[in-house]
Each structure stands twice: as structure tokens, then as C-alpha cells.
């Protein structure tokens, strides 16, 4: 038996119309009819009463409808179940982390956890937040490390994903300095010249925070986006080149600020305090992942 015959059967059972069902299944009516007949011959029973219009299920056909649905549902679950079996015996931790945290926070944080638990092999995907969230929703990673703010909702519903605060970060608006050491581009309402903004794309988690918390204030300024990118590291490079103001994680620009290469372009009102949070599914995880989560939770509590 071909599994696609079951999908053909369910399509016809839903409409009772051979032409419509054949169209839904992207084939000609004669070819569709042959496939239904082949299924009946394989079962050795008649599934449809063709004397009525539309065609109706026989008693056997009505019984077989639930069987077909159950078989297709079982087949659809096989890949997820196979991955679950593989995960259960795997010690590899699968992480997604935003680019900025992958470079600045993750290495030191992992070292601190190694004092509490054995951290085995790690498979890391470093990407923009939107893609990292998608990996979590698809079940392809066990953990997500990202910036987070209570006023900026993400895609991971609290009833399905839990999180812990593992650190904090300040997002600072920075610019190259002028000859007097002041910001070349300042975020002030009295500015008579345009303020070029180095903006984040819609896929960026930091961009999501900046737009939600400071978007309205930026619009009130004589400001305009002159460059847009996914990554904080790219905007950092553009800021160092004197292209405009960028909101960057303080950890990412420690050396540049210490050397006077970048200075704050606005007062504390323009800063944003955000959490660094670790997300996971509420579903049970393999033993290695559960042990890691417990160690991370204990570390966060202290």
C-alpha cells in the first residue's frame, strides 16, 4: 500500500466529489480514481458507494476513515519521536545564542558553570534572535540565550517556555568623539543637524528592544536611519567609522570606550537596561540538558 492512497481516500471522504478531490490532490480524475480503486483492491473491500452523488462512505469506509487518520498521524510523529530517542541518549547540549552574546557573554558564563557541573559537548548556532526563536519553536535546540526586556514580548510563550535571568546588559548609544572628546553626533532635541542612526533590522533582538523602548523618542529627534544591519558587531564597525549613532551592548564596546574611540551620544535617558536570559521548553529534556539547566538555575540564584 502507498501511504499517499490514504491521503487520497481522506480527500474524497471529505468532499464526496471525485473531480474536486482529484484537483485537491493535484492529479487528473482518472488517475485519482485508479488510486482509490487500488486502495480498495488492496483492502479487499468497497470504501465508497458510487451510486450516490456525492459519493458516500460505506460502513467499512466510515470505519477506515479513523484508521487512515490514525496511520497518517502516527507516521507524522515518527521523525519527532526518533529525534527524541536520539536526544535521550545524547550528551550534546544544543544552544542557540544571539551573535553579540556568543562573543561577549557566553564563553565566560560557561566557564563559571563548569565549577558546578560537567559541561559536555556543545553545539552552538549563533544567529539573529528571530532565527534563534524559530530554532526553539521547531525543537532543534534545547536552550536559547538572548537579551530580554519585560516590555518587549518575544515569540516564546511563557506557558510553553520557561526562562531564568543569567546576567544583565546595558545598551548604550555611542558615536565617535569630535576633537574636544564630545560625541560627534549627539541625541539632543536642540541639535540643528541631522543625527544619523545606525539601525538594526527587524530580525535583530537588540533592534526589537530599541524600537520598543526608544523608537518614539528617536522619531522626535532630527534623526534618520542611514545604515541598517542584523548584527551589533557590524553597527559597531560603522560607528567606529564615524557613520552615526548605534545602540550597542556595553560588553561589546568596553575596549573602544576605554580607549576613547567611542563615547556615549546621549544621557542616561537614552540607555536601556536589559536582562540576559536562558530559555528552554517546559517539556522534559535529556539528562545532560536537565543537569545543565539545574546548574544554571543554581548559579543564577546566587
Amino acid at each position: 500500500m502507498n501511504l499517499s492512497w490514504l491521503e487520497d481516500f481522506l480527500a474524497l471522504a471529505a468532499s464526496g466529489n471525485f473531480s474536486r478531490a482529484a484537483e485537491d490532490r493535484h492529479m487528473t480524475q482518472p488517475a485519482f480514481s485508479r488510486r482509490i480503486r487500488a486502495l480498495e483492491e488492496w483492502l479487499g473491500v468497497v470504501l465508497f458507494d458510487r451510486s450516490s452523488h456525492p459519493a458516500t462512505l460505506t460502513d467499512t469506509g466510515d470505519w477506515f476513515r479513523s484508521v487512515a487518520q490514525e496511520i497518517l498521524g502516527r507516521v507524522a510523529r515518527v521523525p519527532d519521536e526518533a529525534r527524541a530517542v536520539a536526544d535521550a541518549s545524547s550528551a550534546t547540549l544544543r544552544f542557540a545564542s544571539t551573535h553579540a552574546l556568543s562573543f561577549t557573554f557566553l564563553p565566560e558564563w560557561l566557564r563559571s558553570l563548569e565549577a558546578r557541573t560537567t559541561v559536555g559537548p556543545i553545539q552552538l548556532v549563533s544567529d539573529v534572535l528571530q532565527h534563534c526563536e524559530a530554532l526553539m519553536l521547531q525543537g532543534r535546540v534545547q536552550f536559547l540565550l538572548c537579551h530580554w526586556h519585560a516590555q518587549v514580548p518575544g515569540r516564546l510563550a511563557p506557558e510553553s517556555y520557561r526562562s531564568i535571568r543569567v546576567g544583565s546588559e546595558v545598551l548604550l548609544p555611542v558615536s565617535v568623539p569630535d576633537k574636544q572628546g564630545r560625541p560627534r553626533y549627539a541625541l539632543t532635541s536642540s541639535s540643528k543637524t541631522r543625527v544619523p542612526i545606525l539601525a538594526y533590522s527587524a530580525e535583530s533582538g537588540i533592534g526589537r528592544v530599541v524600537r520598543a523602548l526608544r523608537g518614539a523618542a528617536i522619531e522626535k529627534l532630527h534623526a534618520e536611519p542611514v545604515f541598517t544591519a542584523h548584527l551589533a558587531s557590524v553597527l559597531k564597525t560603522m560607528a567606529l567609522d564615524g557613520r552615526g549613532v548605534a545602540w550597542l551592548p556595553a560588553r561589546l564596546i568596553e575596549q573602544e570606550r576605554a580607549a576613547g574611540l567611542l563615547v556615549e551620544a546621549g544621557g542616561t535617558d537614552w540607555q536601556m537596561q536589559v536582562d540576559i536570559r536562558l530559555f528552554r521548553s517546559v517539556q522534559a529534556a535529556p539528562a545532560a540538558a536537565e543537569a545543565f539547566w539545574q546548574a544554571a538555575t543554581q548559579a543564577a540564584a546566587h
Side-chain angles (χ1 to χ4, degrees):
M1 183 194 71
N2 190 323
L3 286 174
S4 62
W5 293 352
L6 300 182
E7 296 173 334
D8 298 338
F9 164 78
L10 292 174
L12 182 56
S15 68
N17 186 296
F18 277 79
S19 297
R20 187 182 309 162
E23 183 178 348
D24 291 341
R25 296 290 292 150
H26 306 291
M27 68 183 75
T28 64
Q29 181 177 336
F32 180 81
S33 297
R34 286 194 297 270
R35 287 160 67 104
I36 294 296
R37 185 68 69 185
L39 175 61
E40 291 177 319
E41 291 175 356
W42 184 80
L43 290 170
V45 298
V46 176
L47 297 173
F48 292 93
D49 180 1
R50 293 164 172 78
S51 64
S52 62
H53 298 284
T56 58
L57 289 167
T58 63
D59 290 342
T60 305
D62 189 56
W63 164 82
F64 187 69
R65 175 162 49 186
S66 61
V67 173
Q69 292 169 337
E70 181 181 350
I71 292 172
L72 290 174
R74 183 74 181 88
V75 169
R77 293 192 298 272
V78 166
D80 288 338
E81 291 174 359
R83 284 192 292 269
V85 171
D87 286 344
S89 61
S90 174
T92 299
L93 302 177
R94 292 180 283 111
F95 268 84
S97 173
T98 53
H99 282 288
L101 291 176
S102 297
F103 292 122
T104 62
F105 179 81
L106 181 63
E108 182 178 350
W109 176 66
L110 287 176
R111 282 197 300 272
S112 71
L113 292 180
E114 288 173 343
R116 296 177 175 271
T117 188
T118 300
V119 178
I122 293 177
Q123 183 182 70
L124 173 67
V125 177
S126 181
D127 212 324
V128 293
L129 180 58
Q130 183 172 305
H131 295 166
C132 290
E133 288 173 330
L135 292 174
M136 279 292 289
L137 292 169
Q138 294 163 9
R140 295 172 60 186
V141 296
Q142 298 158 336
F143 301 106
L144 165 60
L145 187 69
C146 64
H147 292 110
W148 182 89
H149 193 282
Q151 297 178 35
V152 187
R155 298 172 60 194
L156 304 181
E159 62 270 21
S160 300
Y161 298 90
R162 68 184 72 164
S163 70
I164 53 174
R165 181 182 180 273
V166 296
S168 63
E169 184 74 88
V170 181
L171 303 180
L172 302 173
V174 293
S175 161
V176 292
D178 60 18
K179 293 181 180 180
Q180 287 74 42
R182 297 176 301 220
R184 180 184 298 178
Y185 307 108
L187 299 171
T188 61
S189 57
S190 60
S191 175
K192 292 183 170 45
T193 59
R194 71 184 183 94
V195 179
I197 300 296
L198 305 175
Y200 291 92
S201 66
E203 293 87 352
S204 166
I206 295 178
R208 191 184 294 177
V209 172
V210 173
R211 284 188 295 275
L213 302 185
R214 298 293 183 269
I218 293 172
E219 289 182 1
K220 291 180 181 179
L221 294 177
H222 186 60
E224 62 175 315
V226 296
F227 185 86
T228 301
H230 295 331
L231 308 181
S233 57
V234 174
L235 297 188
K236 170 184 168 181
T237 300
M238 300 303 290
L240 286 168
D241 196 48
R243 301 298 184 95
V245 174
W247 272 262
L248 299 173
R251 280 185 178 84
L252 187 64
I253 52 174
E254 285 180 350
Q255 295 181 2
E256 289 77 12
R257 291 180 67 207
L261 299 177
L262 290 174
V263 296
E264 290 191 50
T268 55
D269 289 347
W270 289 101
Q271 298 178 5
M272 285 165 276
Q273 185 82 31
V274 295
D275 286 350
I276 300 172
R277 298 191 78 88
L278 182 70
F279 285 83
R280 61 158 292 178
S281 169
V282 298
Q283 301 296 322
E290 292 290 355
F292 181 87
W293 176 259
Q294 183 177 3
T297 302
Q298 291 173 350
H302 294 84

